[in-house]
Amino acid sequence: MSDSKRVVVAAPRGYCAGVDRAVITVERALDLYGPPVYVRKQIVHNRHVVEDLEARGAIFVEELTEVPEGATVVFSAHGVSPAVHAEAAERGLKTIDATCPLVTKVHNEARRFAGQGLQILLIGHAGHEEVEGTSGEAPEHITLVEHPQDVDALEVGDPGRVAWLSQTTLSVDETWETVSKLREKYPDLIDPPSDDICYATQNRQSAVKQIAATADLVIVVGSRNSSNSVRLVEVALEAGAKASYRVDNAGEIDDAWLEGVESVGVTSGASVPDELVQGVLDHLQQRGYPAAVEERLTEENLVFALPPELRKDLKRASA
Ligand code: 0CJ
Ligand code: F3S
């Protein structure tokens, strides 16, 4: 083994408070009510998490029409629009809402701005479940802006009455670029009361930046449809990593990526169980790299209480 080889694993990485809560919600619901427990959409955007919960009796559906009347359905961490809540009530479904409280905060901001008659420019990715949920709060007030280059073509009714909000899992740097272009175009642009890009997204991006500048390769563990994981690859490359790839697990690492590579950085998205990162570190050791050194940017201590509707049933069951 060459002495100059090294592996640095970023921290914070992996599960955030909202993912932890959402996954535990499905696990507890399975224990309490027994399988099957239906989940609308992937509870979080991670293939391994979904497969594991499926093996325990969770049934993931795309739409509520697939859930039998009277059954229990969990809403995913990414949030749902009011129309989905209404549909669930209409079908007589018992719902447990695992929407991350930091997504709910953005929904509340959207309702408040819309109530003030403002046009809301929502920075986010078309088709992403979180964007669909947030947009559903006030569809007629919300215009989606995906990238900085989309700002020029924007048209709003009253340029003096616009506010912006964002998806929670975007690139911090790209979002600021979009906001500064928006502000150039709309000088009266109103900001959200606090950051919409959540603490976990921000911390994982800052942590990967720290390790990327000196890395020949940065491996990001996360699923293809995980917005925050995909952003980590982009951030690593922008921060100076010579190469960066996303993998779902160690089995997806191509040996060719490691040719001539001395310094490897490793991190993971907010929906990724840490055992998958350990698998990547083991894989690297098997290929002649030393044990990883962790570089920690900051501590995270946030914990969210389980959804109240589940807590109530857990309490009743234990009484
Ligand atoms: O939007 C969220 C509440 C983030 C959940 C955690 O990450 P993930 O991978 O399930 O979702 P994103 O695609 O939004 O990053
Ligand atoms: Fe919530 Fe952010 Fe995680 S919005 S689910 S804390 S990535």
Side-chain angles (χ1 to χ4, degrees):
M1 180 171 68
S2 148
D3 281 337
S4 47
K5 279 190 173 171
R6 62 188 222 120
V7 178
V8 183
V9 61
R13 64 175 179 279
Y15 272 24
C16 60
V19 165
D20 203 38
R21 173 183 187 256
V23 173
I24 293 174
T25 294
V26 179
E27 289 171 348
R28 292 279 164 84
L30 282 165
D31 292 343
L32 187 62
Y33 312 116
V37 165
Y38 290 84
V39 184
R40 184 185 177 275
K41 311 279 182 184
Q42 293 190 332
I43 186 72
V44 296
H45 291 151
N46 186 269
R47 183 156 73 79
H48 293 275
V49 171
V50 168
E51 285 170 5
D52 179 56
L53 291 171
E54 254 167 1
R56 298 198 210 181
I59 298 180
F60 291 88
V61 297
E62 280 305 299
E63 296 306 333
L64 291 184
T65 47
E66 299 164 60
V67 182
E69 290 212 4
T72 299
V73 62
V74 179
F75 292 147
S76 80
H78 315 95
V80 295
S81 70
V84 173
H85 281 286
E87 189 189 349
E90 217 168 88
R91 289 180 54 79
L93 305 178
K94 176 182 169 63
T95 59
I96 299 174
D97 189 356
T99 301
C100 176
L102 300 181
V103 173
T104 302
K105 187 193 75 147
V106 183
H107 282 229
N108 295 341
E109 288 164 358
R111 275 205 304 276
R112 196 168 60 88
F113 281 151
Q116 295 167 355
L118 295 166
Q119 182 68 29
I120 300 163
L121 304 172
L122 175 64
I123 306 172
H125 298 301
H128 189 283
E129 280 137 38
E130 185 185 328
V131 161
E132 285 174 356
T134 305
S135 302
E137 290 289 350
E140 64 294 346
H141 284 269
I142 294 182
T143 305
L144 189 62
V145 184
E146 289 202 81
H147 299 290
Q149 58 270 28
D150 300 333
V151 172
D152 283 348
L154 270 181
E155 279 175 33
V156 297
D158 180 353
R161 301 273 302 144
V162 282
W164 72 275
L165 294 176
S166 88
Q167 193 179 329
T168 56
T169 52
L170 300 180
S171 149
V172 173
D173 293 341
E174 190 188 289
T175 303
W176 281 117
E177 206 186 316
T178 307
V179 172
S180 74
K181 290 196 87 176
L182 285 173
R183 204 177 304 286
E184 243 168 64
K185 186 161 175 173
Y186 308 116
D188 295 331
L189 183 72
I190 296 171
D191 295 316
S194 60
D195 287 351
D196 286 343
I197 299 183
C198 74
Y199 81 98
T201 300
Q202 296 192 28
N203 285 346
R204 280 151 194 66
Q205 288 175 20
S206 301
V208 82
K209 272 186 191 174
Q210 265 194 354
I211 66 165
T214 54
D216 297 322
L217 167 70
V218 171
I219 298 174
V220 176
V221 188
S223 287
R224 181 184 306 280
N225 61 339
S226 167
S227 166
N228 78 89
S229 304
V230 173
R231 301 291 82 77
L232 290 173
V233 172
E234 296 167 2
V235 170
L237 290 170
E238 273 156 28
K242 293 202 185 84
S244 181
Y245 300 101
R246 181 203 55 79
V247 295
D248 254 303
N249 53 51
E252 290 184 1
I253 296 173
D254 185 338
D255 275 339
W257 300 345
L258 302 175
E259 271 167 34
V261 164
E262 301 218 308
S263 159
V264 185
V266 179
T267 190
S268 58
S271 47
V272 180
D274 212 49
E275 69 225 41
L276 297 170
V277 174
Q278 292 309 321
V280 166
L281 301 181
D282 291 346
H283 179 98
L284 291 170
Q285 274 197 269
Q286 284 156 17
R287 276 155 183 76
Y289 288 88
V293 174
E294 184 174 89
E295 225 170 271
R296 176 168 290 280
L297 174 85
T298 184
E299 298 287 341
E300 289 179 345
N301 303 308
L302 190 62
V303 177
F304 292 128
L306 292 175
E309 53 278 35
L310 179 61
R311 268 188 287 149
K312 208 173 67 196
D313 286 355
L314 285 167
K315 201 170 160 195
R316 199 179 294 142
S318 69

